[in-house]
Amino acid sequence: MNPDPDKNDLTRRQFMTRAVKAGGSIAVAGAAGFWFHDSNGPGRSEEIESDIRLPDFSVPDLGPKMSIIRGRNRVETLRLAVKSIGGIENFIKKGDRVLLKVNAAFASPQMLSATTHPQIVSEMTRLCLDAGASLVIVSDNPINDPGSCFTLSGIADAARSAGAQLFLPRDDAFKPLSVPEGKLIRNWPVLYDPLKRINKIIGTAPVKDHHRSGASMIMKNWYGLLGGRRNIFHQDIQTIITELAMMIRPTLVILDGTTTMMTNGPTGGSLADLKETSTMIAGTDQVAVDAFGATLLGRSLNDLPFIGMAEAAGLGTADYQSLNPVMAEV
Amino acid sequence: MIRENKKYSRQQTFSSLAILFILMVIGTGIFLAQFDFNPAVFQKDLFFPPTAKDKDFALTPLTKSVIALPPGLVPLTLPESFDAQNLSDKINGKAELYLSAGFISLSSQRYKDKKGSNLWIEAYIYDMGNGQNAFAVFSAQRREGAATLDLTPYAYRTQNALFLVHGRFYIEIIASEATDLAFDPMKLLAENFVRNTAAQTVAIQEKDLFPVQGLVADSIALISTDAFGFDRLNQIYIAEYELGQERLMAFLSRRQETRAAQDLAVAYQKFLETFGGQTIDANLPIKNAKLVEILETYEVVFFCGPFMAGVREAASKEQAINLALQLYEKLKEVADES
């Protein structure tokens, strides 16, 4: 700061004074830093709650409906399953904007049934568009990298060729959201961008064994709407599945039990993990649909606590037979 | 002080104040921003560099492949690597199976057919720390009826995939097609890995301790933790048996010493009783054995030297006792020798 060092007329006293002041400033700054230091790091903010709420996407006054169609041809069983509960027009009206929430969790070939089959994606998209939907978005937040998952599973091609818009998650597509009665989904990032653009949501998933939860079907599939470090929820997976069902009240769900992953789920990896179970289930009660799906896996409701927990939360019935499901064979 | 102030112009003073003001604004901004922190979006990878991975199979520089590539295959994607913190980013809910068995790291990569067919193959190389851990995850996922391969002592194939243990590594090679065209390159990949990766041969001595009569082929497996729902049962070897129309299971675990085996046998018996099991008074031909009836099946639990062992899921007392006696005789030979 001194323009001419040679003319430095600083006295010894001034120098000492400045040195003491500088030392004092450093000490105060250090003490302040130490005082503010939080060795535990910031905790989760409970006070700043998101004000984003998802609407109930179900069709009012329609009531619980369910169909169970036997057959090996996915397209035919899907068509009949939807028709048996009143047809797609019951659920999708002209101008509706639809999110088709698929399971694209893994970059896995379609023959391994770890992801939603492309035929389900293309046929559901066509059904929605034929019913007058103005927009069909196909999306998921996969476990693996999204590009590979959607491409290698065949979902990307199926969606685009049928006229759907493929939405791959990106950082700015997530918004924090809370489930009002939930204890885990509090201020948690959710794939909100596609959700804010739609007024109907259709969930579709294959029936799979799951090493942690016992099964991965419709309710577990909403896990693909979560962002962030969601793997911590594996520690309490039955509760998170229940809360996911609280978060999404779907318009319609399609559970594909044409081929069931009986073992080594949710990834599988071998055709030896699969069994032809030749069943397609459509319904509005996701709890009932999952309860039936459990039978394809040979699991009881005791094996899959999330079904009972979802029923206890008032999200549907585990007694799927009480809905008098339409049964048919293609 | 007056003399000092004269050295600085008014412009310098304003500049200093402006800088201080900007610093205060930035500080206030940081202070307020920290209240928006959400651990849900905290990604540790943004802050910490990836750790060094395995030492034995470095990437081949020219191909960027985790395994030396056979002719006909080229990388489809770059290699990926995962540790215990992010394994579930790759395999989701199955991560727990590996983590509980001592998982260290996973390297994976996808390859495609050089000729441009739709075939692609993904290789997963799990470093499980030691051969026993690798056998645990191998045996836990073994597909029934799969064809054994002679690549290593523990290797098999299914229609579209190949699974093996090589030293401390558990390897899965999975194809997008179930064709002969897919099998050949999968096998070559496996052979290349085995040839180029130094590893000790995995010897599971416990498999020789199970009685041979009625043993279901390839059913011997190792459960690392929480066997049969009991959190104290770890490192438990199991084997399936078919006796007539019935299936039942034998199990054994070598503990540090006889006392530990005894304590564990007693604890497991109590665990069964806690869940409705009833210990039956029976004159068993096995020393230190208990017969428990639970859920209309029978279990025998005993210890023999350092081994805690037994039989479970037997449809009748006789079957349970007969198999347990055979197992006891085998264990007694080893216990006596040691």
Side-chain angles (χ1 to χ4, degrees):
Chain A
M1 296 297 286
N2 194 332
D4 186 356
D6 294 337
K7 292 184 179 178
N8 193 340
D9 52 358
L10 195 68
T11 66
R12 178 184 175 83
R13 177 180 291 273
Q14 284 173 329
F15 172 76
M16 292 302 290
T17 305
R18 285 189 184 185
V20 168
K21 282 180 179 175
S25 299
I26 292 168
V28 168
F34 184 76
W35 191 63
F36 281 117
H37 175 66
D38 176 5
S39 59
N40 295 322
R44 184 175 162 193
S45 172
E46 294 289 352
E47 292 170 6
I48 307 171
E49 282 293 343
S50 164
D51 57 359
I52 296 173
R53 294 283 182 272
L54 294 180
D56 183 340
F57 294 104
S58 62
V59 178
D61 306 325
L62 199 58
K65 292 182 178 298
M66 185 170 169
S67 61
I68 301 168
I69 308 300
R70 306 281 183 183
R72 298 182 68 178
N73 185 312
R74 277 191 179 83
V75 175
E76 290 180 5
T77 53
L78 174 61
R79 283 178 186 160
L80 185 55
V82 174
K83 188 178 175 189
S84 300
I85 52 175
I88 192 70
E89 297 77 12
N90 247 351
F91 307 97
I92 305 299
K93 305 293 183 196
K94 193 169 189 303
D96 275 349
R97 301 169 311 281
V98 183
L99 171 62
L100 188 58
K101 167 63 182 71
V102 296
N103 182 337
F106 306 105
S108 176
Q110 58 180 267
M111 73 171 183
L112 293 180
S113 291
T115 49
T116 298
H117 197 282
Q119 287 180 335
I120 301 282
V121 177
S122 53
E123 189 58 25
M124 274 314 302
T125 300
R126 281 190 205 102
L127 285 172
C128 292
L129 293 174
D130 288 351
S134 60
L135 172 69
V136 177
I137 301 172
V138 171
S139 193
D140 190 17
N141 180 27
I143 303 297
N144 299 169
D145 69 288
S148 301
C149 291
F150 280 99
T151 303
L152 296 175
S153 65
I155 292 173
D157 276 351
R160 288 193 184 111
S161 62
Q165 190 183 101
L166 189 67
F167 184 89
L168 269 59
R170 51 175 199 272
D171 287 349
D172 64 356
F174 292 86
K175 295 279 184 202
L177 181 149
S178 295
V179 171
E181 298 85 23
K183 65 171 188 174
L184 297 179
I185 305 177
R186 308 295 304 177
N187 207 23
W188 196 268
V190 168
L191 187 58
Y192 185 63
D193 193 287
L195 288 168
K196 75 181 179 190
R197 294 158 57 195
I198 52 110
N199 65 330
K200 298 285 172 65
I201 183 167
I202 298 174
T204 174
V207 183
K208 298 197 293 180
D209 165 58
H210 193 282
H211 181 77
R212 195 76 183 170
S213 65
S216 172
M217 298 181 285
I218 292 295
M219 289 191 277
K220 170 70 173 65
N221 188 41
W222 304 124
Y223 183 81
L225 290 175
L226 298 178
R229 299 169 64 212
R230 57 186 170 175
N231 60 327
I232 67 167
F233 292 136
H234 280 145
Q235 304 308 315
D236 194 0
I237 198 156
Q238 304 294 334
T239 304
I240 191 66
I241 295 174
T242 309
E243 291 194 11
L244 287 166
M246 291 175 180
M247 184 177 82
I248 300 290
R249 306 296 178 100
T251 311
L252 173 67
V253 296
I254 305 291
L255 183 61
D256 181 6
T258 310
T259 303
T260 295
M261 185 185 290
M262 304 297 289
T263 53
N264 293 314
T267 54
S270 171
L271 292 177
D273 297 319
L274 309 180
K275 180 182 174 186
E276 293 302 318
T277 44
S278 304
T279 309
M280 189 69 66
I281 309 104
T284 54
D285 181 335
Q286 54 182 330
V287 183
V289 169
D290 273 6
F292 176 79
T295 67
L296 297 178
L297 280 162
R299 308 267 154 87
S300 71
L301 296 183
N302 287 335
D303 296 328
L304 307 174
F306 64 85
I307 294 177
M309 290 163 70
E311 182 182 47
L315 304 173
T317 177
D319 180 13
Y320 68 88
Q321 286 173 323
S322 68
L323 303 184
N324 295 316
V326 177
M327 312 279 264
E329 189 164 346
V330 174
Chain B
M1 293 299 288
I2 294 168
R3 198 172 57 188
E4 275 181 61
N5 285 343
K6 282 181 181 171
K7 291 177 186 171
Y8 307 108
S9 67
R10 182 176 288 252
Q11 189 182 10
Q12 284 175 315
T13 303
F14 283 134
S15 299
S16 303
L17 287 172
I19 290 168
L20 283 172
F21 177 74
I22 291 167
L23 287 172
M24 282 174 63
V25 169
I26 292 170
T28 306
I30 292 170
F31 180 74
L32 293 175
Q34 69 173 328
F35 292 105
D36 286 335
F37 177 86
N38 187 338
V41 293
F42 176 82
Q43 296 291 332
K44 79 173 180 64
D45 292 347
L46 294 176
F47 301 95
F48 302 109
T51 54
K53 290 288 185 277
D54 194 70
K55 320 92 203 170
D56 286 358
F57 61 97
L59 293 182
T60 310
L62 291 176
T63 58
K64 291 276 187 193
S65 172
V66 295
I67 303 179
L69 284 175
L73 283 186
V74 291
L76 172 63
T77 55
L78 287 172
E80 297 176 290
S81 57
F82 302 87
D83 58 20
Q85 299 301 313
N86 64 358
L87 179 62
S88 65
D89 291 350
K90 181 68 178 173
I91 61 173
N92 189 242
K94 210 195 274 186
E96 190 59 33
L97 171 71
Y98 292 87
L99 295 172
S100 64
F103 169 85
I104 292 176
S105 66
L106 164 65
S107 298
S108 67
Q109 190 173 16
R110 299 183 195 99
Y111 308 103
K112 64 178 179 181
D113 181 16
K114 210 174 190 173
K115 290 177 185 167
S117 75
N118 289 328
L119 171 68
W120 58 275
I121 292 171
E122 184 157 16
Y124 300 75
I125 301 164
Y126 294 89
D127 183 348
M128 298 301 300
N130 63 50
Q132 197 176 40
N133 294 345
F135 177 76
V137 293
F138 170 86
S139 60
Q141 300 176 83
R142 175 151 192 135
R143 278 76 178 178
E144 258 189 73
T148 301
L149 293 174
D150 59 4
L151 286 165
T152 67
Y154 301 104
Y156 67 93
R157 64 165 290 192
T158 62
Q159 290 162 284
N160 69 299
L162 197 151
F163 307 88
L164 65 142
V165 172
H166 178 57
R168 67 178 196 270
F169 300 103
Y170 168 61
I171 298 111
E172 294 186 341
I173 301 176
I174 297 168
S176 63
E177 297 173 4
T179 60
D180 288 339
L181 176 73
F183 179 68
D184 292 338
M186 281 197 296
K187 190 168 181 228
L188 287 171
L189 275 171
E191 286 171 347
N192 284 354
F193 182 80
V194 170
R195 189 182 310 115
N196 297 333
T197 308
Q200 288 186 331
T201 303
V202 178
I204 306 295
Q205 293 164 344
E206 282 81 353
K207 75 186 176 78
D208 297 326
L209 299 176
F210 286 105
V212 176
Q213 189 183 359
L215 176 65
V216 176
D218 300 317
S219 69
I220 295 174
L222 170 60
I223 303 176
S224 299
T225 56
D226 296 340
F228 321 141
F230 184 36
D231 59 6
R232 285 187 58 188
L233 283 187
N234 57 17
Q235 299 300 312
I236 305 289
Y237 285 88
I238 60 168
E240 299 275 348
Y241 285 82
E242 256 178 12
L243 300 176
Q245 299 294 313
E246 307 294 344
R247 271 218 174 197
L248 62 163
M249 177 190 289
F251 61 90
L252 67 89
S253 179
R254 184 194 287 266
R255 316 308 291 187
Q256 293 277 347
E257 53 185 8
T258 301
R259 182 58 187 267
Q262 180 182 1
D263 288 349
L264 190 58
V266 171
Y268 181 54
Q269 181 203 345
K270 285 184 178 166
F271 169 79
L272 293 174
E273 288 173 346
T274 305
F275 287 90
Q278 292 204 323
T279 301
I280 299 170
D281 279 335
N283 190 19
L284 298 175
I286 303 166
K287 198 178 166 188
N288 304 316
K290 298 287 182 188
L291 177 65
V292 180
E293 182 181 1
I294 183 167
L295 300 172
E296 299 177 352
T297 65
Y298 294 90
E299 298 209 12
V300 175
V301 188
F302 63 90
F303 68 94
C304 176
F307 295 102
M308 177 268 184
V311 169
R312 62 194 305 265
E313 297 175 350
S316 71
K317 291 180 201 172
E318 292 71 27
Q319 280 187 339
I321 294 167
N322 284 342
L323 181 56
L325 183 58
Q326 291 179 55
L327 180 60
Y328 174 74
E329 297 292 350
K330 297 272 281 184
L331 296 179
K332 194 166 176 296
E333 286 174 24
V334 179
D336 288 346
E337 283 171 14
S338 60

